[in-house]
Amino acid sequence: MKFDPEEVIEEFEALTKEAGKVQEETLKKILKENGGTVYLQQWGLNGRTDAESFTARVPLVTHKDLEPYIQRIADGDLSPVLTGKPITTISLSSGTTQGRPKFVPFNDELMESTLQIYKTSFAFRNKEFPIGNGKALQFIYSSKQFKTKGGLAAGTATTNVYRNAQFKKTMKAMQTPCCSPDEVIFGPDFHQSLYCHLLCGLIFRDEVQVISSTFAHSIVQAFRTFEQVWEELVVDIREGVLSSRITVPSTRSAMSKLLKPDPEQADTIFRKCSGLSNWYGLIPALFPNAKYIYGIMTGSMEPYLKKLRHYAAELPLQSADYGSSEGWIGANVNPKLPPELVTYAVLPNIGYFEFIPLRGNLDGLEPTPVGLAEVKLGEEYEIVVTNFAGLYRYRLGDVVKIKGFHNATPELQFICRRNLLLSINIDKNTEKDLQLAVEAAAKLLVDEKSEVVDFTSHVNVAADPGHYVVFWELSGEASDETLQECCNCLDKSFVDAGYLGSRKANAIGALELRVVKRGTFHKILDHFVGLGGAVSQFKTPRCVGPNNSTLLQILCNDVVKSYFSTAFC
């Protein structure tokens, strides 16, 4: 397989110049292939493939509406339920939002669009940050695949991609093969796989050009772990013998083939680590030829950027492309932008996209969605997806802002998930509002040499009046006085008018800050992996809903200190 970046860019330019036309053709192709399905038949399209008929007849849906159809496929119904061609694989969403993963159909077309997105963003990235022939240190983990009742392979979306032969060929063609063997990526024990990823990175440290993972969280977590185990890793390299903590036979055997005694390399690594101040610049110190760090860094990943920059020093952070378990939307074609400003250019041929304006109509009715060619600069929208894997007018629940255009296709900035709201009364606070409040309050910890490792929230409506609860895990100790200030600052940082009014009228009670033991968020990750989730798809839920009682229990059992805001007293 040959990879020609120039050719990929040319193809992308041609597609985006005719974005509106490409969208019409893409919808026509989707409806031609799938018009005879059980789902589409009921809406009376009668062979029509134009956008007007499609949007007039087929309703907007959420996952809940499609669940019965997807379940039929998972249970082995071979009739064309959602797609003309049979679905052979099911993807599981991360499941961190609702507390249980969703089933989503996965097929060859989705795999093709995954590779198209990867190639497109790589081509643009490689123009700015060219890499030679080397390796990538990828903190990727596969989850267990299982069979559904109907015998379909089911696994997380990332697992379905990593297990695909095309994925490996593409990574090789893009000169970034993973430095860890398959036995590490597909190992059954996440902690052992993480240790081995770090070890493989050190073995090939001069060849590593890219450090990546699906999400920024996994990269930060990997280097936090490195701080704990680095001396053990150095011993492994010095003696050429793998640590006894690796007990999985297949992982052990694959790693033993790679490991040779190298006292010189061990001395270098020991010297580099000992010379760092508070681990600042750890990544370039370990990997002198690394060009950048790559992973999804927007949305719920933004809180980890500060720590990632600490480890990365001057090394550029590259935010990966925009998609979800349901499919892809856009590629990052402006690699020079920092993650906070990153935008994604929609690929007009991988699905049919609609946008629901978020500026409400005066009559209280929901605004009519507009097509890709009709979006306006600076406006915010919720995305609606129709793709080749059986989703029709599917509300993704993501809010995006139109930041510009690449030729005729919009460049989107991810704002937040629409459904993650802290709300008790008339207050409405999004994930982004919570994040900004936490960032403001966390600044008060600087003098105490402590930082927020991770956080989440919960709406306590069992109390009267109900109030917000914010959970923090800290890296070090902080005084009661400082934490009380942090609590007040959190409360004052929610600037939503509904919240402020309700707090002043005592319709919402004082915000509560609960500090949890160190390692609590690791327990949450382990719980999630225990349910069959993949570490590489893990996102800390920023708001724990009432249905997620196990998670709430883990948090509440680990509370060491609790503070109530006095900001509105």
Side-chain angles (χ1 to χ4, degrees), residues 137 139-141 180 184 189-203 221-223 225-238 241-247 251-252 255 259:
L137 169 53
F139 295 102
I140 53 179
Y141 310 90
S180 305
V184 171
D189 182 309
F190 150 67
H191 299 282
Q192 293 187 32
S193 289
L194 170 50
Y195 184 89
C196 293
H197 276 317
L198 289 167
L199 188 54
C200 290
L202 295 179
I203 292 170
Q221 184 196 25
F223 288 103
T225 303
F226 181 86
E227 290 184 34
Q228 257 85 63
V229 300
W230 73 279
E231 289 173 273
E232 202 175 326
L233 289 161
V234 169
V235 172
D236 290 1
I237 288 173
R238 186 182 306 284
V241 180
L242 187 61
S243 159
S244 60
R245 69 163 69 214
I246 309 303
T247 55
T251 311
R252 222 184 145 80
M255 288 303 296
L259 201 52

Side-chain angles (χ1 to χ4, degrees), residues 124-422:
F124 280 93
R125 204 160 60 245
N126 217 36
K127 257 171 88 166
E128 301 290 351
F129 306 97
I131 58 176
N133 215 351
K135 291 189 186 304
L137 169 53
Q138 293 183 290
F139 295 102
I140 53 179
Y141 310 90
S142 163
S143 68
K144 295 182 275 288
Q145 274 187 318
F146 64 91
K147 289 269 188 267
T148 65
K149 194 171 135 192
L152 273 66
T156 54
T158 43
T159 300
N160 292 333
V161 170
Y162 301 150
R163 283 194 182 275
N164 191 289
Q166 285 300 106
F167 172 73
K168 272 200 188 136
K169 282 185 197 155
T170 305
M171 294 317 277
K172 213 171 165 175
M174 297 195 307
Q175 299 172 317
T176 44
C178 183
C179 47
S180 305
D182 279 4
E183 291 81 355
V184 171
I185 298 169
F186 297 103
D189 182 309
F190 150 67
H191 299 282
Q192 293 187 32
S193 289
L194 170 50
Y195 184 89
C196 293
H197 276 317
L198 289 167
L199 188 54
C200 290
L202 295 179
I203 292 170
F204 297 110
R205 61 184 286 261
D206 292 326
E207 293 174 59
V208 169
Q209 304 198 56
V210 178
I211 287 97
S212 73
S213 187
T214 312
F215 290 123
H217 170 263
S218 299
I219 305 174
V220 168
Q221 184 196 25
F223 288 103
R224 279 191 191 276
T225 303
F226 181 86
E227 290 184 34
Q228 257 85 63
V229 300
W230 73 279
E231 289 173 273
E232 202 175 326
L233 289 161
V234 169
V235 172
D236 290 1
I237 288 173
R238 186 182 306 284
E239 295 172 0
V241 180
L242 187 61
S243 159
S244 60
R245 69 163 69 214
I246 309 303
T247 55
V248 175
S250 57
T251 311
R252 222 184 145 80
S253 142
M255 288 303 296
S256 301
K257 285 179 193 148
L258 289 178
L259 201 52
K260 304 279 178 284
D262 192 344
E264 209 176 311
Q265 187 70 286
D267 286 342
T268 306
I269 296 166
F270 190 88
R271 207 174 50 248
K272 296 266 184 202
C273 292
S274 308
L276 294 173
S277 159
N278 193 19
W279 300 103
Y280 177 79
L282 171 62
I283 296 175
L286 293 178
F287 309 106
N289 298 311
K291 303 287 191 296
Y292 53 82
I293 297 165
Y294 182 67
I296 292 170
M297 299 182 186
T298 47
S300 61
M301 291 301 129
E302 253 184 64
Y304 306 109
L305 288 177
K306 188 174 165 226
K307 191 68 180 171
L308 193 52
R309 286 205 168 96
H310 180 80
Y311 287 137
E314 301 304 308
L315 214 53
L317 303 185
Q318 296 285 315
S319 193
D321 310 300
Y322 176 33
S324 63
S325 305
E326 289 87 353
W328 289 98
I329 292 147
N332 175 3
V333 298
N334 299 313
K336 282 202 154 162
L337 289 176
E340 291 86 348
L341 301 174
V342 77
T343 58
Y344 304 99
V346 179
L347 269 68
N349 67 326
I350 60 176
Y352 181 73
F353 302 102
E354 297 171 76
F355 298 81
I356 302 173
L358 282 196
R359 293 243 292 257
N361 283 6
L362 294 174
D363 52 14
L365 295 173
E366 188 158 67
T368 313
V370 299
L372 182 106
E374 301 152 313
V375 294
K376 293 188 170 71
L377 189 67
E379 293 289 324
E380 291 189 2
Y381 299 91
E382 182 192 342
I383 297 193
V384 177
V385 176
T386 296
N387 69 11
F388 287 93
L391 302 182
Y392 307 99
R393 306 201 78 204
Y394 181 98
R395 296 178 74 147
L396 213 48
D398 285 359
V399 175
V400 295
K401 189 174 193 165
I402 311 297
K403 294 296 279 187
F405 292 89
H406 187 103
N407 296 321
T409 203
E411 293 191 332
L412 319 173
Q413 184 178 35
F414 178 85
I415 301 294
C416 62
R417 300 273 303 148
R418 192 171 182 174
N419 59 356
L420 277 179
L421 286 179
L422 285 167

